[in-house]
Amino acid sequence: MKSIAIKIGGFFVKNFKLIIGIAVLVLAVALFFITQYKTSSLEDGNLQKWTESSIERKISTVKMLTDNAQETELIVSCVDKMSTFNDSGEFAVRDAVKLCNMGIQLRENN
């Protein structure tokens, strides 16, 4: 029994740097994927994040998504209204802003 434990211990001592290197590599890959899929940007979020955000963050998101549209406050209030509807929490902010912006443009052109 002792000889098996000594062999296993000897294996770890011989390959200590290799084992540490593999562990660091696995950790780096895991951190990379975690940071890629966990975004905190509002434009990639859903309307639930929208309702929890500050007005300044909402305005900057609308300006970024609409190329500095002149009706920023109207779009923000439109998306705020959309976020109060039932089952709207999973609707994407990007889609809601585009929909409100398109509605405003249609209203202006008619």
Side-chain angles (χ1 to χ4, degrees), residues 14-27:
K14 280 184 178 179
N15 298 316
F16 183 70
K17 289 182 182 178
L18 179 65
I19 293 169
I20 295 297
I22 291 172
V24 168
L25 183 63
V26 168
L27 181 65

Side-chain angles (χ1 to χ4, degrees), residues 33-51:
F33 282 109
I34 287 171
T35 57
Q36 290 295 317
Y37 291 111
K38 185 178 180 181
T39 61
S40 62
S41 62
L42 188 57
E43 59 271 3
D44 292 328
N46 55 24
L47 287 183
Q48 176 139 11
K49 285 185 181 179
W50 177 269
T51 58

Side-chain angles (χ1 to χ4, degrees), residues 72-110:
T72 304
E73 290 82 16
L74 187 58
I75 295 173
V76 169
S77 64
C78 175
V79 176
D80 281 339
K81 181 68 174 177
M82 287 178 71
S83 68
T84 62
F85 297 149
N86 291 337
D87 300 328
S88 66
E90 295 300 317
F91 196 68
V93 170
R94 182 179 303 273
D95 296 338
V97 169
K98 286 182 181 180
L99 186 63
C100 289
N101 189 30
M102 186 179 303
I104 291 169
Q105 288 176 352
L106 284 172
R107 186 188 70 182
E108 289 175 355
N109 290 333
N110 286 330

Side-chain angles (χ1 to χ4, degrees), residues 56-75:
E56 294 85 14
R57 192 167 175 205
K58 291 176 182 179
I59 290 173
S60 66
T61 300
V62 168
K63 285 183 179 180
M64 183 172 44
L65 290 175
T66 59
D67 295 329
N68 290 323
Q70 295 155 352
E71 302 290 337
T72 304
E73 290 82 16
L74 187 58
I75 295 173

